[in-house]
Amino acid sequence: MERYIYMDNAATTPVKKEVLEEMLPFFTEKYGNPSSVYKLGSANRVEVEKAREKVALALGADKSEIYFTAGGSESDNWAIKGAAYKYRDKGNHIITTKIEHHAVLNTCKYLEKQGFEVTYLDVDEDGIVKLDDLKRAIRDNTILISVMFANNEIGTIQPIKEIGEIAKEHNILFHTDAVQAIGSIKIDVNELNIDLLSLSAHKFFGPKGVGALYIRKGVRIDNLISGGGQERNKRAGTENVAGIVGLGKAIELAYENFEEKNKYIISLRDRLIEKIEKNIKYVRLNGHRTQRLPGNVNVSFEFIEGESLLLMLDLNNIAASSGSACTSGSLDPSHVLLAIGLSHEIAHGSLRLSLSELNTEEEVDYVVEKLVEIVDRLRQMSPLYEKIKEEK
Ligand SMILES: *Cc1c(COP(=O)(O)O)cnc(C)c1O
């Protein structure tokens, strides 16, 4: 196959071979329904429980606190709607941020239509939630705080421990969308005072369409999916056994050789940032320089359309993103980039390159080489850029 460089790991990742191998038998010979009494089924129940154990271990949780879902979006919907409806009598106020994934933002917007009130916190220019703002936003009727662990566009990592402490002090439930953080950050739900946590397998070399919600023991939320008694009566539907087994294996692998892997990805990230800043003018790094995901690079090039940049990169077999997959295809600039204070023009010239352990230094160098060429070519077509050059 032709050379292909994949730098869109925040959108999704391939399923690792070891993960696929563990999954395969459950599509064919081990097809039993985990709820059945006969061996073909009940043996699968054991496999689902083993996977639950692995997810719990990765989070410092108990296996009884892990519930399998169909991915990050479902987990976010369940956590937020489930908490909102359960505690409706106690209060109708929810606090979240302006930079959440649409799975959280649109769930909150939906709840606003149902009579809930939502405060969307601002972030600073690096994309970090201001703790004083959070404290000030808390009211007597606040029932839930939902703040993402790490941002999918700009990679900024939030002060989750401090937020967890604030939530606990005020006796408010704390949910975090940790979809981008799993496999990149070590997480202990008890140390961080997290009550609800969403994760999704396809962001860390597991299959698409499967995820989990951590629900702290003692925390009660309403069900999202009604039906049979699966997942201890909390999430109906015949278990996605192959997917769940794949999730278990993927999360186990994600935390193997963790420090070494992270060090490598950070070195690639920093090399990429350094080379872009050194070789291309009129560029800014978005997100916090150090409090950021190991694999995330997000930059804005002035005088350029991000969409044209993506198309030209694609012609060179380089896969990247201009924001989150959900926003591409629409002409509105990313809500995250606007929230950190970028103008519409600058936000439009943004590029996200998200790295994984599968990328190499050589790929980083090649991408920078191509970027220099492409950015230069696109700028030649920009009247604004010509004007700036003349003025110099
Ligand atoms: C990808 C992503 C989601 C959605 O997860 P799916 O499994 O694709 O539904 C939610 N939140 C964040 C931060 C993500 O990156």
Side-chain angles (χ1 to χ4, degrees):
M1 204 172 90
E2 254 188 297
R3 179 194 178 94
Y4 195 85
I5 298 180
Y6 186 72
M7 291 198 181
D8 202 18
N9 290 280
T12 195
T13 57
V15 173
K16 274 195 181 161
K17 205 175 280 157
E18 302 98 298
V19 173
L20 179 66
E21 269 165 18
E22 294 221 354
M23 291 173 67
L24 281 175
F26 297 97
F27 289 104
T28 50
E29 67 264 32
K30 298 186 180 177
Y31 53 82
N33 187 321
S35 301
S36 303
V37 291
Y38 45 80
K39 285 190 286 297
L40 188 70
S42 59
N44 282 354
R45 192 153 67 234
V46 176
E47 296 304 320
V48 166
E49 293 316 307
K50 277 192 212 161
R52 201 185 307 282
E53 191 93 53
K54 289 176 186 176
V55 175
L57 189 68
L59 301 176
D62 188 83
K63 89 193 251 301
S64 65
E65 298 172 305
I66 306 299
Y67 298 87
F68 292 114
T69 66
S73 298
E74 186 191 320
S75 295
D76 285 342
N77 270 264
W78 185 12
I80 297 169
K81 288 177 187 166
Y85 290 132
K86 184 77 190 177
Y87 294 98
R88 189 169 228 168
D89 293 336
K90 189 182 162 215
N92 71 338
H93 181 234
I94 295 165
I95 300 173
T96 185
T97 80
K98 289 189 178 165
I99 62 163
E100 298 297 313
H101 189 275
H102 282 115
V104 169
L105 282 182
N106 287 339
T107 299
C108 288
K109 280 190 196 144
Y110 169 83
L111 287 174
E112 281 185 286
K113 285 192 204 136
Q114 309 291 311
F116 289 90
E117 290 175 42
V118 182
T119 300
Y120 300 90
L121 296 174
D122 283 315
V123 292
D124 68 14
E125 69 273 16
D126 291 322
I128 295 180
V129 169
K130 292 171 263 187
L131 297 175
D132 284 341
D133 285 2
L134 170 62
K135 286 181 202 157
R136 245 178 277 133
I138 292 172
R139 311 179 194 160
D140 290 343
N141 64 343
T142 307
I143 50 174
L144 176 71
I145 295 171
S146 180
V147 176
M148 72 199 316
F149 210 115
N151 186 265
N152 47 303
E153 294 189 40
I154 58 173
T156 299
I157 299 166
Q158 300 299 335
I160 292 298
K161 190 172 163 61
E162 288 80 356
I163 296 169
E165 272 163 17
I166 293 169
K168 195 177 178 183
E169 263 168 42
H170 291 84
N171 205 16
I172 299 168
L173 286 183
F174 175 38
H175 166 249
T176 187
D177 173 342
V179 173
Q180 290 289 330
I182 299 292
S184 295
I185 299 169
K186 279 215 166 128
I187 296 176
D188 184 310
V189 286
N190 292 316
E191 196 187 307
L192 300 172
N193 289 313
I194 295 165
D195 295 311
L196 299 155
L197 178 147
S198 306
L199 62 88
S200 177
H202 76 102
K203 302 291 175 79
F204 50 89
F205 300 105
K208 293 168 185 58
V210 61
L213 181 65
Y214 158 79
I215 308 177
R216 176 177 292 284
K217 204 171 279 172
V219 168
R220 303 249 178 283
I221 63 171
D222 275 7
N223 291 353
L224 183 71
I225 312 279
S226 306
Q230 292 90 352
E231 297 296 284
R232 282 155 290 139
N233 287 317
K234 285 200 200 288
R235 200 280 188 184
T238 302
E239 296 84 346
N240 173 5
V241 180
I244 289 168
V245 166
L247 166 56
K249 183 66 180 176
I251 205 162
E252 186 176 61
L253 290 176
Y255 287 103
E256 257 177 36
N257 300 317
F258 177 78
E259 314 290 342
E260 199 182 322
K261 221 160 42 186
N262 251 358
K263 223 173 110 187
Y264 173 67
I265 301 170
I266 287 173
S267 78
L268 291 183
R269 176 195 75 189
D270 292 347
R271 184 185 183 93
L272 186 52
I273 293 173
E274 199 184 304
K275 288 201 151 206
I276 290 173
E277 288 182 328
K278 183 159 170 270
N279 293 296
I280 304 177
K281 266 198 250 179
Y282 308 112
V283 60
R284 60 159 278 157
L285 177 70
N286 299 315
H288 197 282
R289 204 166 273 273
T290 52
Q291 285 293 106
R292 78 186 294 132
L293 287 169
N296 177 285
V297 176
N298 188 310
V299 284
S300 297
F301 301 102
E302 285 184 62
F303 321 112
I304 280 203
E305 279 291 328
E307 292 302 310
S308 328
L309 185 57
L310 284 190
L311 292 176
M312 304 263 277
L313 286 169
D314 187 37
L315 288 176
N316 285 282
N317 285 347
I318 298 167
S321 165
S322 61
S324 65
C326 327
T327 39
S328 66
S330 97
L331 287 174
D332 294 334
S334 137
H335 64 288
V336 176
L337 297 175
L338 295 181
I340 59 169
L342 265 58
S343 68
H344 277 61
E345 292 93 304
I346 306 278
H348 270 306
S350 300
L351 175 71
R352 179 186 73 186
L353 296 160
S354 43
L355 307 161
S356 81
E357 64 196 82
L358 302 181
N359 291 116
T360 64
E361 271 192 6
E362 197 241 331
E363 286 180 333
V364 165
D365 294 351
Y366 178 77
V367 166
V368 174
E369 198 180 297
K370 286 291 158 196
L371 262 181
V372 170
E373 278 174 34
I374 295 168
V375 167
D376 188 57
R377 190 138 30 111
L378 289 174
R379 280 181 177 166
Q380 297 311 324
M381 300 191 272
S382 154
L384 237 172
Y385 183 63
E386 285 304 305
K387 209 170 134 229
I388 296 274
K389 268 201 331 195
E390 277 164 26
E391 283 166 8
K392 286 271 141 117

